[in-house]
Amino acid sequence: MSLLICLLYIAAHAGLYFAVLRGWPKLGSERGIFLYHFVSAILVTGAFGVWAIAHGSSDAWAWFVCVVMLHGIYSLSFLELWALADDSYSLAIMEIIDRGGAAAGPALTQRLEAIGKCKQSSRLNALRAIGLVRELGDGSFTLTPFGRAAVWLGRAVLFLVNAHKYG
Amino acid sequence: MWMILSMAAFVTSVLIHVVAMRSVQHAGAVSAFVTIGGTVGILLIAYCATSYGLTSAALATIVAYAFACELYVFLFTLVGNSVSFGLLTRLARHPLKPADIAGFYRTEAMIARRFEQLERGNLITAGPSGLRLTKRGERLVQIFSLLHAAFRRPNQWVSAATREGYDAL
């Protein structure tokens, strides 16, 4: 029953976005769409957590984990697709090649470099907005403690997959 | 017990993946993990079905494993391809001014790496008249054109390039 409620809730959450909210400017930013899912995850965890505590059985806790993980899979998949559709550099390259037909040579590279530079500047602003980077008095940028933790975590992940190139 | 089983299956998948990425040359990290994680997942489902039957514990074990796998793939693809992570690692060395960042970050290398990845993934190919999409690449672009419509979000970099007159090139 709890699984069915969770699946219905997820369908309603996605349905609400696609039917009503996708045109809202507040959900048009990374922060907005992340909050839409984060608040939902908190609500689901809270509601099913209270239910599991009230029930108290190990079966109830298993359903609780099931529901929270399902919501996690849904939100992560949704946000990945949203971010790829919105911001993927590789997809941009493919779409530009697709539009330009047999595009090649310096013109394509020049355009992609311009896009790459815009992307860096937009990313720097985004990193500041989420508190990973801060500006010093002399106008230069440095990492916050959260930024250092993110670099440490990222390097650990790259070590696992034996990746030497990134960015 | 079921939570330990789920985590043990995930850690096993990651460890096999770590070894595979160091022992198989030119292995794609995502395809390797899909193969390894999928195989371990099937074994986990079979074990849960025989040990627990169709119970909440069995479902929780499988769903928790699936979520952990998705999160792992998300993290390593995010970090491996992220312009943001590239910027963070540069800033980790010492503070930089915006002009230094632009000079530091070689967009040519970033583009070359994307081309390499797209060619390796059989999504683009270099023909006599220049770069073109493969059938697989065309399908992916079609899928994402549906997603652009569903999310009402065109790729912002393509939009910027078009605004700046790419079509005229």
Coordinates of all heavy atoms in Angstrom, one line a residue, chain A residues 72-158:
Chain A
G72 N 14.3 8.9 -4.5 CA 15.6 9.3 -4.9 C 15.9 9.0 -6.3 O 16.5 9.8 -7.1
I73 N 15.5 7.8 -6.7 CA 15.8 7.3 -8.1 C 15.0 8.3 -9.1 O 15.5 8.7 -10.1 CB 15.3 5.9 -8.4 CG1 16.3 4.9 -7.6 CG2 15.3 5.5 -9.8 CD1 15.9 3.5 -7.6
Y74 N 13.7 8.6 -8.7 CA 12.9 9.4 -9.6 C 13.5 10.8 -9.7 O 13.7 11.4 -10.8 CB 11.5 9.5 -9.0 CG 10.7 10.8 -9.3 CD1 10.3 11.0 -10.7 CD2 10.4 11.7 -8.4 CE1 9.6 12.2 -11.0 CE2 9.7 12.9 -8.7 CZ 9.3 13.1 -10.0 OH 8.7 14.3 -10.3
S75 N 13.9 11.4 -8.5 CA 14.4 12.8 -8.5 C 15.8 12.9 -9.3 O 16.0 13.8 -10.0 CB 14.6 13.3 -7.1 OG 13.3 13.6 -6.6
L76 N 16.6 11.9 -9.0 CA 18.0 11.9 -9.6 C 17.8 11.8 -11.1 O 18.5 12.6 -11.9 CB 18.8 10.8 -9.1 CG 20.3 10.9 -9.2 CD1 20.8 12.2 -8.6 CD2 21.0 9.8 -8.4
S77 N 16.9 10.9 -11.6 CA 16.7 10.7 -13.0 C 16.2 12.0 -13.7 O 16.6 12.4 -14.7 CB 15.8 9.6 -13.3 OG 16.2 8.4 -12.6
F78 N 15.2 12.6 -13.0 CA 14.5 13.8 -13.5 C 15.5 14.9 -13.6 O 15.6 15.6 -14.7 CB 13.4 14.2 -12.6 CG 12.5 15.3 -13.0 CD1 11.2 15.0 -13.5 CD2 12.9 16.6 -13.0 CE1 10.4 16.1 -14.0 CE2 12.2 17.7 -13.4 CZ 10.9 17.4 -13.9
L79 N 16.3 15.1 -12.5 CA 17.2 16.2 -12.5 C 18.4 16.1 -13.5 O 18.8 17.0 -14.2 CB 17.8 16.5 -11.1 CG 16.7 17.0 -10.1 CD1 17.3 16.9 -8.7 CD2 16.3 18.4 -10.4
E80 N 18.8 14.8 -13.7 CA 19.8 14.5 -14.7 C 19.4 14.9 -16.1 O 20.1 15.5 -16.9 CB 20.2 13.0 -14.7 CG 21.3 12.7 -13.7 CD 21.7 11.3 -13.8 OE1 22.5 10.9 -14.7 OE2 21.2 10.5 -12.9
L81 N 18.1 14.4 -16.4 CA 17.6 14.7 -17.8 C 17.3 16.2 -18.0 O 17.6 16.7 -19.0 CB 16.3 13.9 -18.0 CG 16.5 12.4 -18.1 CD1 15.1 11.7 -18.2 CD2 17.3 12.0 -19.4
W82 N 16.9 16.8 -16.9 CA 16.6 18.3 -17.0 C 17.9 19.0 -17.3 O 18.0 19.9 -18.1 CB 16.0 18.7 -15.7 CG 15.5 20.1 -15.7 CD1 14.2 20.5 -16.0 CD2 16.2 21.3 -15.4 NE1 14.1 21.9 -15.9 CE2 15.3 22.4 -15.6 CE3 17.5 21.6 -15.1 CZ2 15.7 23.7 -15.4 CZ3 17.9 22.9 -14.9 CH2 17.0 24.0 -15.0
A83 N 18.9 18.6 -16.5 CA 20.2 19.3 -16.6 C 20.9 19.0 -18.0 O 21.4 19.9 -18.6 CB 21.2 18.9 -15.5
L84 N 20.7 17.8 -18.5 CA 21.3 17.5 -19.8 C 20.6 18.2 -20.9 O 21.2 18.8 -21.8 CB 21.2 16.0 -20.0 CG 22.3 15.1 -19.4 CD1 21.9 13.6 -19.7 CD2 23.6 15.4 -20.0
A85 N 19.3 18.3 -20.8 CA 18.5 19.0 -21.8 C 18.8 20.5 -21.8 O 18.9 21.1 -22.8 CB 17.0 18.8 -21.6
D86 N 19.1 21.0 -20.6 CA 19.3 22.5 -20.5 C 20.7 22.9 -20.8 O 21.0 23.9 -21.4 CB 19.0 22.8 -19.0 CG 19.2 24.3 -18.7 OD1 18.5 25.1 -19.4 OD2 20.0 24.7 -17.9
D87 N 21.7 22.1 -20.4 CA 23.1 22.6 -20.2 C 24.2 21.8 -20.8 O 25.4 22.1 -20.6 CB 23.2 22.8 -18.7 CG 24.4 23.7 -18.4 OD1 24.7 24.6 -19.2 OD2 25.1 23.5 -17.3
S88 N 23.9 20.6 -21.4 CA 25.0 19.7 -21.8 C 25.8 20.3 -22.9 O 25.3 20.6 -24.0 CB 24.4 18.3 -22.2 OG 25.4 17.6 -22.8
Y89 N 27.1 20.3 -22.7 CA 28.0 20.9 -23.7 C 28.2 19.8 -24.9 O 28.2 20.2 -26.0 CB 29.3 21.1 -23.0 CG 30.3 22.0 -23.8 CD1 29.9 23.1 -24.6 CD2 31.7 21.7 -23.9 CE1 30.7 23.9 -25.3 CE2 32.5 22.5 -24.6 CZ 32.1 23.6 -25.3 OH 33.0 24.3 -26.0
S90 N 28.2 18.6 -24.5 CA 28.4 17.5 -25.5 C 27.1 17.5 -26.4 O 27.2 17.4 -27.7 CB 28.6 16.1 -24.9 OG 29.7 16.1 -24.1
L91 N 26.0 17.6 -25.8 CA 24.7 17.6 -26.6 C 24.7 18.9 -27.5 O 24.2 18.8 -28.6 CB 23.5 17.6 -25.7 CG 23.0 16.2 -25.4 CD1 21.9 16.2 -24.3 CD2 22.4 15.6 -26.7
A92 N 25.2 20.0 -26.9 CA 25.2 21.2 -27.7 C 26.1 21.0 -29.0 O 25.7 21.4 -30.1 CB 25.7 22.4 -26.9
I93 N 27.2 20.4 -28.8 CA 28.1 20.1 -29.9 C 27.3 19.3 -31.0 O 27.3 19.5 -32.2 CB 29.4 19.4 -29.5 CG1 30.2 20.3 -28.6 CG2 30.2 18.8 -30.6 CD1 31.4 19.7 -27.9
M94 N 26.6 18.2 -30.5 CA 25.9 17.3 -31.4 C 24.8 18.1 -32.1 O 24.6 17.9 -33.3 CB 25.4 16.1 -30.6 CG 26.5 15.2 -30.2 SD 25.8 13.9 -29.2 CE 24.8 13.0 -30.4
E95 N 24.1 18.9 -31.4 CA 23.0 19.6 -32.0 C 23.5 20.6 -33.0 O 22.8 20.8 -34.1 CB 22.1 20.3 -30.9 CG 21.3 19.3 -30.1 CD 20.4 19.9 -29.1 OE1 20.0 21.1 -29.2 OE2 20.0 19.2 -28.1
I96 N 24.6 21.3 -32.7 CA 25.2 22.2 -33.7 C 25.6 21.5 -34.9 O 25.4 22.0 -36.0 CB 26.3 23.0 -33.0 CG1 25.7 24.0 -32.0 CG2 27.1 23.8 -34.0 CD1 26.7 24.7 -31.1
I97 N 26.3 20.4 -34.7 CA 26.7 19.6 -35.9 C 25.4 19.2 -36.7 O 25.4 19.2 -37.9 CB 27.5 18.3 -35.5 CG1 28.9 18.8 -34.9 CG2 27.7 17.4 -36.7 CD1 29.7 17.6 -34.4
D98 N 24.4 18.8 -36.0 CA 23.2 18.3 -36.7 C 22.5 19.5 -37.5 O 22.1 19.3 -38.6 CB 22.2 17.8 -35.6 CG 21.0 17.1 -36.2 OD1 21.2 16.4 -37.1 OD2 19.9 17.3 -35.7
R99 N 22.5 20.6 -36.9 CA 21.9 21.8 -37.6 C 22.8 22.3 -38.8 O 22.3 22.7 -39.8 CB 21.8 23.0 -36.6 CG 20.7 22.8 -35.7 CD 20.6 24.0 -34.8 NE 19.6 23.8 -33.8 CZ 19.0 24.8 -33.1 NH1 19.3 26.0 -33.3 NH2 18.1 24.5 -32.2
G100 N 24.1 22.1 -38.5 CA 25.0 22.7 -39.6 C 25.3 21.7 -40.6 O 26.1 21.9 -41.5
G101 N 24.7 20.5 -40.6 CA 25.0 19.4 -41.6 C 26.5 19.0 -41.4 O 26.9 18.7 -40.2
A102 N 27.2 18.9 -42.4 CA 28.6 18.4 -42.3 C 29.5 19.6 -41.9 O 30.4 20.0 -42.6 CB 29.1 17.9 -43.6
A103 N 29.2 20.1 -40.7 CA 30.0 21.2 -40.2 C 31.4 20.7 -39.8 O 31.6 19.7 -39.2 CB 29.3 21.8 -38.9
A104 N 32.4 21.5 -40.0 CA 33.7 21.1 -39.6 C 34.7 22.3 -39.6 O 34.3 23.4 -39.9 CB 34.3 20.1 -40.6
G105 N 35.9 22.0 -39.1 CA 36.9 23.0 -39.2 C 36.9 24.1 -38.2 O 36.2 24.1 -37.2
P106 N 37.6 25.2 -38.6 CA 37.8 26.3 -37.6 C 36.5 27.0 -37.2 O 36.4 27.4 -36.0 CB 38.8 27.2 -38.3 CG 39.1 26.6 -39.6 CD 38.3 25.4 -39.8
A107 N 35.6 27.1 -38.1 CA 34.4 27.9 -37.7 C 33.6 27.2 -36.6 O 33.2 27.9 -35.6 CB 33.4 27.9 -39.0
L108 N 33.5 25.9 -36.7 CA 32.8 25.1 -35.6 C 33.6 25.2 -34.3 O 33.0 25.5 -33.2 CB 32.7 23.7 -36.0 CG 32.1 22.7 -35.0 CD1 30.6 23.1 -34.6 CD2 32.1 21.3 -35.4
T109 N 34.9 25.0 -34.4 CA 35.7 25.1 -33.2 C 35.7 26.5 -32.5 O 35.6 26.6 -31.3 CB 37.2 24.7 -33.5 OG1 37.2 23.5 -34.3 CG2 38.0 24.6 -32.3
Q110 N 35.7 27.5 -33.4 CA 35.6 28.9 -32.9 C 34.3 29.1 -32.1 O 34.4 29.7 -31.0 CB 35.7 29.8 -34.1 CG 36.2 31.2 -33.8 CD 36.3 32.0 -35.1 OE1 35.9 31.6 -36.1 NE2 36.9 33.2 -34.9
R111 N 33.2 28.7 -32.7 CA 31.9 28.8 -32.1 C 31.9 28.1 -30.7 O 31.4 28.6 -29.7 CB 30.8 28.4 -33.0 CG 29.4 28.6 -32.5 CD 29.1 30.0 -32.2 NE 29.2 30.9 -33.3 CZ 29.3 32.2 -33.2 NH1 29.3 32.8 -32.0 NH2 29.4 32.9 -34.3
L112 N 32.4 26.8 -30.8 CA 32.3 26.0 -29.6 C 33.2 26.6 -28.5 O 32.9 26.5 -27.3 CB 32.8 24.6 -29.9 CG 31.8 23.8 -30.8 CD1 32.4 22.5 -31.2 CD2 30.5 23.6 -30.1
E113 N 34.4 27.2 -28.9 CA 35.2 27.8 -27.9 C 34.5 29.0 -27.2 O 34.6 29.2 -26.0 CB 36.5 28.3 -28.5 CG 37.6 27.3 -28.7 CD 38.8 27.8 -29.3 OE1 39.1 29.0 -29.3 OE2 39.5 26.9 -29.9
A114 N 33.8 29.8 -28.0 CA 33.0 30.9 -27.5 C 32.0 30.4 -26.5 O 31.8 31.0 -25.4 CB 32.3 31.7 -28.6
I115 N 31.3 29.3 -26.8 CA 30.3 28.7 -25.9 C 31.0 28.2 -24.6 O 30.5 28.4 -23.5 CB 29.6 27.5 -26.6 CG1 28.8 28.0 -27.8 CG2 28.7 26.8 -25.6 CD1 28.1 26.9 -28.6
G116 N 32.2 27.6 -24.8 CA 32.9 27.1 -23.7 C 33.3 28.2 -22.7 O 33.2 28.0 -21.5
K117 N 33.7 29.4 -23.2 CA 34.1 30.5 -22.4 C 32.9 31.0 -21.6 O 32.9 31.3 -20.4 CB 34.7 31.6 -23.2 CG 36.1 31.2 -23.7 CD 36.9 32.5 -24.0 CE 38.2 32.1 -24.7 NZ 39.1 31.1 -24.1
C118 N 31.7 31.1 -22.3 CA 30.4 31.5 -21.7 C 30.1 30.5 -20.5 O 29.7 30.9 -19.5 CB 29.3 31.5 -22.6 SG 29.3 32.7 -23.9
K119 N 30.3 29.2 -20.8 CA 30.0 28.2 -19.8 C 30.8 28.4 -18.6 O 30.3 28.3 -17.5 CB 30.2 26.8 -20.5 CG 29.5 25.7 -19.8 CD 29.5 24.5 -20.7 CE 29.1 23.2 -19.9 NZ 27.7 23.2 -19.5
Q120 N 32.1 28.6 -18.8 CA 33.0 28.8 -17.6 C 32.5 30.0 -16.7 O 32.4 29.9 -15.5 CB 34.4 29.2 -18.1 CG 35.2 28.0 -18.6 CD 36.5 28.5 -19.2 OE1 37.1 29.5 -18.8 NE2 36.8 27.9 -20.3
S121 N 32.2 31.1 -17.4 CA 31.7 32.3 -16.6 C 30.4 32.0 -15.9 O 30.2 32.4 -14.8 CB 31.7 33.5 -17.6 OG 30.6 34.2 -17.5
S122 N 29.5 31.3 -16.6 CA 28.2 31.0 -16.0 C 28.4 30.0 -14.8 O 27.7 30.1 -13.8 CB 27.2 30.4 -17.1 OG 27.0 29.1 -16.9
R123 N 29.4 29.0 -15.0 CA 29.6 28.1 -13.9 C 30.2 28.8 -12.7 O 29.9 28.4 -11.6 CB 30.6 27.0 -14.4 CG 30.0 26.0 -15.4 CD 28.9 25.2 -14.9 NE 27.6 25.7 -15.0 CZ 26.5 25.2 -14.5 NH1 26.5 24.2 -13.8 NH2 25.4 25.8 -14.7
L124 N 31.1 29.7 -12.9 CA 31.7 30.5 -11.8 C 30.7 31.2 -11.0 O 30.7 31.1 -9.8 CB 32.8 31.5 -12.4 CG 33.6 32.2 -11.3 CD1 34.4 31.3 -10.5 CD2 34.5 33.2 -12.0
N125 N 29.7 31.8 -11.7 CA 28.6 32.5 -11.0 C 27.8 31.5 -10.2 O 27.4 31.7 -9.1 CB 27.7 33.2 -12.0 CG 28.5 34.4 -12.6 OD1 29.4 35.0 -12.0 ND2 28.1 34.8 -13.8
A126 N 27.5 30.3 -10.9 CA 26.7 29.3 -10.2 C 27.4 28.7 -8.9 O 26.8 28.5 -7.9 CB 26.4 28.1 -11.1
L127 N 28.8 28.6 -9.0 CA 29.5 28.1 -7.9 C 29.5 29.1 -6.7 O 29.5 28.7 -5.6 CB 31.0 27.8 -8.3 CG 31.2 26.6 -9.3 CD1 32.6 26.5 -9.8 CD2 30.8 25.3 -8.6
R128 N 29.5 30.3 -7.1 CA 29.4 31.4 -6.1 C 28.1 31.3 -5.4 O 27.9 31.4 -4.2 CB 29.6 32.8 -6.7 CG 31.0 33.2 -6.8 CD 31.1 34.5 -7.5 NE 30.8 35.6 -6.5 CZ 30.6 36.9 -6.9 NH1 30.7 37.2 -8.2 NH2 30.3 37.8 -6.0
A129 N 27.0 31.2 -6.3 CA 25.6 31.2 -5.7 C 25.4 30.0 -4.8 O 24.6 30.2 -3.8 CB 24.6 31.1 -6.9
I130 N 26.0 28.9 -5.0 CA 25.8 27.7 -4.1 C 26.8 27.6 -3.0 O 26.8 26.7 -2.2 CB 25.6 26.4 -4.9 CG1 26.9 26.1 -5.6 CG2 24.4 26.4 -5.8 CD1 26.9 24.7 -6.2
G131 N 27.7 28.7 -2.9 CA 28.6 28.7 -1.7 C 29.8 27.9 -1.8 O 30.4 27.6 -0.8
L132 N 30.2 27.5 -3.0 CA 31.5 26.7 -3.1 C 32.7 27.6 -3.4 O 33.8 27.2 -3.2 CB 31.4 25.6 -4.2 CG 30.3 24.6 -4.0 CD1 30.3 23.6 -5.2 CD2 30.5 23.8 -2.7
V133 N 32.4 28.8 -3.9 CA 33.5 29.7 -4.2 C 33.1 31.1 -3.6 O 31.9 31.4 -3.6 CB 33.6 29.8 -5.8 CG1 34.4 31.0 -6.2 CG2 34.1 28.6 -6.4
R134 N 34.1 31.8 -3.2 CA 33.9 33.2 -2.7 C 34.9 34.1 -3.3 O 36.0 33.7 -3.7 CB 33.9 33.2 -1.2 CG 35.2 33.0 -0.5 CD 35.1 32.9 1.0 NE 36.3 32.4 1.5 CZ 37.4 33.2 1.9 NH1 37.2 34.6 1.8 NH2 38.5 32.7 2.4
E135 N 34.5 35.4 -3.3 CA 35.3 36.4 -3.9 C 36.1 37.1 -2.8 O 35.6 37.3 -1.7 CB 34.5 37.5 -4.6 CG 35.3 38.4 -5.5 CD 34.4 39.3 -6.3 OE1 33.2 39.1 -6.3 OE2 35.0 40.2 -7.0
L136 N 37.4 37.3 -3.0 CA 38.3 37.9 -2.0 C 38.2 39.5 -2.3 O 37.7 39.9 -3.3 CB 39.7 37.4 -2.1 CG 39.9 35.9 -1.8 CD1 41.3 35.5 -2.2 CD2 39.6 35.6 -0.4
G137 N 38.8 40.2 -1.4 CA 38.8 41.7 -1.4 C 39.5 42.2 -2.7 O 39.0 43.2 -3.2
D138 N 40.5 41.5 -3.2 CA 41.2 42.0 -4.4 C 40.5 41.6 -5.7 O 41.1 41.7 -6.8 CB 42.6 41.5 -4.4 CG 42.8 40.0 -4.4 OD1 41.7 39.3 -4.4 OD2 43.9 39.5 -4.6
G139 N 39.3 41.0 -5.6 CA 38.6 40.6 -6.9 C 38.9 39.2 -7.3 O 38.3 38.8 -8.3
S140 N 39.8 38.5 -6.7 CA 40.1 37.1 -7.1 C 39.1 36.2 -6.4 O 38.4 36.6 -5.4 CB 41.5 36.8 -6.7 OG 41.8 36.9 -5.4
F141 N 39.1 34.9 -6.9 CA 38.1 33.9 -6.3 C 38.9 32.8 -5.6 O 40.0 32.5 -6.1 CB 37.3 33.4 -7.4 CG 36.3 34.3 -8.0 CD1 36.6 35.1 -9.1 CD2 35.1 34.5 -7.4 CE1 35.7 36.1 -9.5 CE2 34.1 35.4 -7.8 CZ 34.5 36.2 -8.9
T142 N 38.3 32.3 -4.6 CA 38.9 31.2 -3.8 C 37.8 30.2 -3.4 O 36.6 30.6 -3.5 CB 39.8 31.7 -2.7 OG1 40.5 30.6 -2.2 CG2 38.9 32.2 -1.5
L143 N 38.2 29.0 -2.9 CA 37.2 28.0 -2.5 C 36.8 28.3 -1.1 O 37.6 28.8 -0.2 CB 37.8 26.6 -2.6 CG 38.2 26.1 -3.9 CD1 38.7 24.7 -3.8 CD2 37.0 26.1 -4.9
T144 N 35.6 28.0 -0.8 CA 35.1 28.0 0.6 C 35.4 26.6 1.2 O 35.8 25.7 0.4 CB 33.5 28.2 0.6 OG1 32.9 27.1 -0.1 CG2 33.1 29.5 -0.1
P145 N 35.2 26.4 2.5 CA 35.4 25.0 3.0 C 34.5 24.0 2.3 O 35.0 22.9 2.1 CB 35.0 25.2 4.5 CG 35.3 26.6 4.8 CD 35.0 27.4 3.5
F146 N 33.3 24.4 1.9 CA 32.4 23.4 1.2 C 33.0 23.1 -0.2 O 33.0 22.0 -0.7 CB 31.0 24.0 1.0 CG 30.2 24.0 2.2 CD1 29.7 25.1 2.8 CD2 29.9 22.8 2.9 CE1 28.9 25.1 4.0 CE2 29.1 22.7 4.0 CZ 28.7 23.9 4.6
G147 N 33.6 24.2 -0.8 CA 34.3 24.0 -2.1 C 35.4 23.0 -2.0 O 35.6 22.1 -2.8
R148 N 36.2 23.1 -0.9 CA 37.4 22.2 -0.7 C 36.9 20.8 -0.5 O 37.4 19.8 -1.0 CB 38.2 22.6 0.5 CG 38.9 23.9 0.3 CD 40.0 24.2 1.3 NE 40.5 25.6 1.0 CZ 41.3 25.8 -0.1 NH1 41.8 24.8 -0.8 NH2 41.7 27.0 -0.3
A149 N 35.7 20.6 0.3 CA 35.2 19.3 0.5 C 34.7 18.7 -0.8 O 34.9 17.5 -1.1 CB 34.0 19.4 1.5
A150 N 34.1 19.6 -1.7 CA 33.6 19.1 -3.0 C 34.8 18.6 -3.9 O 34.7 17.6 -4.6 CB 32.8 20.2 -3.7
V151 N 35.9 19.4 -3.8 CA 37.1 19.0 -4.6 C 37.6 17.6 -4.1 O 37.9 16.7 -4.9 CB 38.2 20.0 -4.5 CG1 39.5 19.5 -5.1 CG2 37.7 21.3 -5.3
W152 N 37.6 17.5 -2.8 CA 38.1 16.2 -2.2 C 37.3 15.0 -2.6 O 37.8 14.0 -3.0 CB 38.1 16.4 -0.7 CG 38.7 15.2 0.0 CD1 40.0 14.9 0.3 CD2 38.0 14.0 0.5 NE1 40.2 13.7 0.9 CE2 38.9 13.1 1.0 CE3 36.7 13.7 0.5 CZ2 38.6 11.9 1.6 CZ3 36.3 12.4 1.0 CH2 37.3 11.6 1.6
L153 N 35.9 15.3 -2.5 CA 35.0 14.2 -2.9 C 35.1 13.9 -4.4 O 35.2 12.7 -4.8 CB 33.5 14.6 -2.6 CG 32.4 13.7 -3.0 CD1 32.5 12.5 -2.1 CD2 31.1 14.3 -2.9
G154 N 35.2 14.9 -5.2 CA 35.4 14.7 -6.7 C 36.6 13.9 -7.0 O 36.6 13.0 -7.8
R155 N 37.7 14.3 -6.3 CA 39.0 13.5 -6.6 C 38.9 12.1 -6.2 O 39.4 11.2 -6.8 CB 40.2 14.2 -5.9 CG 40.6 15.5 -6.6 CD 41.8 16.1 -6.0 NE 42.2 17.3 -6.8 CZ 42.8 18.4 -6.3 NH1 43.0 18.5 -5.0 NH2 43.1 19.3 -7.1
A156 N 38.2 11.8 -5.1 CA 38.0 10.5 -4.6 C 37.2 9.7 -5.7 O 37.5 8.5 -6.0 CB 37.2 10.4 -3.3
V157 N 36.2 10.3 -6.2 CA 35.3 9.6 -7.3 C 36.2 9.4 -8.5 O 36.1 8.3 -9.1 CB 34.1 10.5 -7.6 CG1 33.4 9.9 -8.8 CG2 33.1 10.5 -6.4
L158 N 37.0 10.4 -8.9 CA 37.9 10.2 -10.1 C 38.9 9.1 -9.9 O 39.2 8.3 -10.8 CB 38.6 11.5 -10.4 CG 37.7 12.6 -11.0 CD1 38.5 13.9 -11.2 CD2 37.1 12.2 -12.3

